[in-house]
Amino acid sequence: MGKTIDFQQQKDLRVWRTVMEELRVIQNLEPWTFLGPEDTFLYLPKAENRWIFFRWVPAAPNEVVLTVYPSLPAYRKSLETPQTYRESTRNFIESSYFEIYQTKAEDIPAALRSVYRELGVDYGDGLWPFVTYKRWGYDEALPQGRHLLLLENALGNLFMQLRAVEAKPGSVDFTKGEMCVRFYSPDQGMWVNAAMPYALPPKDPPFLQLNQDSTHVTQPLLDLPRSQTLEQVDFDFGWLDDSDRKKMEEPRYFPMITVFTDHKTGNPLLTYRCHPDELIECAFHQWEALIQQHGRPETLYVARDETFGLFNDFAQHIGVTCRQVEHLPTTEEYFRRHGLV
């Protein structure tokens, strides 16, 4: 039998070749010589509604890390300042970014070394590009598939921004709160690199709206009586901090724990363990099971933007008020007791 061809791997290798070339031309510009750690670049792709941010972050003496944030929420997460170990760990798990920097050959993980061998890339005793991708709920790993394509597109456009800033020193006054924004102008029929005030839009939490044909799901729950013993419930999710994972060898994920608690007593009502990509499905199954066991509560309390957006419309369809608060002491205590973050 002939050799099996991994077409996705072959496609990824072609993209990797472009990424390596983009990194080469960016490095030749030596942007760290004319940029500071607070200088921000924003790229707005033409084909999708996405904000991609770039920052050069000093990591050690004579070492700079290029960080690419693939979305506005991911960039906002990077601006948070965790105060405790639990907050810091949770922030890491829920972050999303690409990191690129130069390191010694022995520090390159096996998966990336394999890519370099396939491409015939050899930096000898010099510094090698280290490229890693961290997405929400996952550990750092080698970017693949659509994530690698996103990085390729982002780096190509970052190069155009850097070249524009280098060609016209002072065209973007980072010291006065400006950032360099690249976008496509339909009026001009071309891509534009412009200086704009550094400002982020108001938060727009993700909002899940039920389809009109969802009555087969909501009506049976609406027909259930009000709970006589459970008027108010809390919902949140936490993470198992799996510290034994192997970095970069595969896209390892952090197990998620979703929990409903009694708002008044703090007693746990239902807990599920699930994959981070299955939050919506897991939360809804758990919500249905809770109502079937206890009846419909009056109020559901949540603390996160994403959980409010997840439950608000569903709750309204079954006559439950969904309220967002700053803290949920009941779920926070449950997470602490069980070593979750």
Side-chain angles (χ1 to χ4, degrees):
M1 295 182 63
K3 182 180 179 181
T4 301
I5 299 176
D6 188 331
F7 289 103
Q8 182 59 56
Q9 183 183 44
Q10 294 299 315
K11 182 177 180 181
D12 279 358
L13 284 173
R14 289 194 293 271
V15 180
W16 270 112
R17 192 176 299 280
T18 304
V19 168
M20 289 296 104
E21 176 60 19
E22 290 170 336
L23 292 178
R24 186 189 67 80
V25 294
I26 288 175
Q27 184 174 4
N28 288 344
L29 288 177
E30 298 184 339
W32 50 88
T33 62
F34 56 88
L35 295 177
E38 300 301 318
D39 298 349
T40 303
F41 289 75
L42 169 61
Y43 161 53
L44 305 175
K46 179 182 178 182
E48 58 180 331
N49 183 20
R50 179 189 292 270
W51 294 39
I52 300 177
F53 288 86
F54 307 88
R55 270 194 168 175
W56 301 90
V57 182
N62 302 318
E63 183 177 306
V64 178
V65 177
L66 169 60
T67 307
V68 182
Y69 302 100
S71 68
L72 179 57
Y75 180 67
R76 287 190 192 278
K77 177 65 68 173
S78 75
L79 302 178
E80 295 180 3
T81 53
Q83 301 298 315
T84 66
Y85 170 80
R86 291 183 68 253
E87 291 177 357
S88 179
T89 303
R90 187 168 182 149
N91 180 279
F92 171 75
I93 293 174
E94 297 177 1
S95 62
S96 181
Y97 56 79
F98 298 89
E99 276 191 350
I100 304 167
Y101 56 94
Q102 304 285 329
T103 189
K104 297 178 181 178
E106 56 265 30
D107 295 330
I108 299 296
L112 189 52
R113 285 201 302 270
S114 176
V115 170
Y116 288 156
R117 280 197 300 270
E118 292 288 341
L119 296 177
V121 173
D122 189 345
Y123 293 89
D125 295 331
L127 295 177
W128 293 61
F130 188 110
V131 183
T132 184
Y133 175 49
K134 167 74 183 69
R135 61 179 169 129
W136 190 89
Y138 284 77
D139 197 6
E140 294 177 335
L142 202 65
Q144 299 174 340
R146 61 187 177 88
H147 306 296
L148 184 60
L149 284 170
L150 188 152
L151 178 62
E152 175 196 34
N153 178 260
L155 291 177
N157 282 275
L158 172 62
F159 171 71
M160 300 303 291
Q161 289 178 279
L162 292 171
R163 195 168 66 172
V165 170
E166 182 195 40
K168 294 184 178 180
S171 58
V172 181
D173 196 338
F174 297 104
T175 62
K176 292 186 178 180
E178 291 184 339
M179 60 179 174
C180 181
V181 182
R182 180 171 173 81
F183 62 95
Y184 183 79
S185 170
D187 294 337
Q188 300 181 50
M190 60 183 294
W191 285 93
V192 176
N193 301 301
M196 293 187 179
Y198 176 82
L200 302 181
K203 280 190 176 182
D204 185 17
F207 179 65
L208 184 66
Q209 188 169 14
L210 297 182
N211 297 326
Q212 293 182 350
D213 59 355
S214 298
T215 53
H216 68 287
V217 175
T218 58
Q219 192 60 47
L221 298 179
L222 187 59
D223 291 340
L224 293 174
R226 286 284 183 193
S227 176
Q228 300 300 310
T229 58
L230 193 64
E231 295 182 357
Q232 300 170 323
V233 297
D234 299 342
F235 174 84
D236 203 355
F237 61 86
W239 305 91
L240 289 172
D241 179 16
D242 176 14
S243 59
D244 294 329
R245 57 199 181 274
K246 293 181 180 179
K247 286 186 176 296
M248 292 289 292
E249 302 308 317
E250 56 180 303
R252 297 285 296 275
Y253 68 88
F254 294 87
M256 173 186 287
I257 305 297
T258 60
V259 59
F260 278 97
T261 57
D262 186 317
H263 182 74
K264 293 182 178 180
T265 68
N267 293 331
L269 301 168
L270 279 178
T271 59
Y272 282 13
R273 173 173 172 154
C274 61
H275 190 283
D277 292 345
E278 299 170 350
L279 172 60
I280 295 176
E281 181 180 5
C282 179
F284 280 2
H285 281 313
Q286 195 174 7
W287 179 229
E288 291 174 1
L290 177 80
I291 294 174
Q292 290 168 355
Q293 290 181 28
H294 299 277
R296 288 182 295 125
E298 290 283 349
T299 309
L300 169 64
Y301 289 93
V302 298
R304 298 164 170 267
D305 291 339
E306 53 263 56
T307 49
F308 181 77
L310 182 66
F311 278 111
N312 187 43
D313 189 55
F314 195 165
Q316 290 181 16
H317 275 77
I318 59 174
V320 176
T321 300
C322 186
R323 291 184 178 175
Q324 186 174 6
V325 294
E326 188 170 349
H327 294 290
L328 290 174
T330 62
T331 58
E332 290 174 2
E333 176 60 24
Y334 177 86
F335 295 150
R336 276 193 294 269
R337 283 204 316 267
H338 292 82
L340 305 173
V341 297

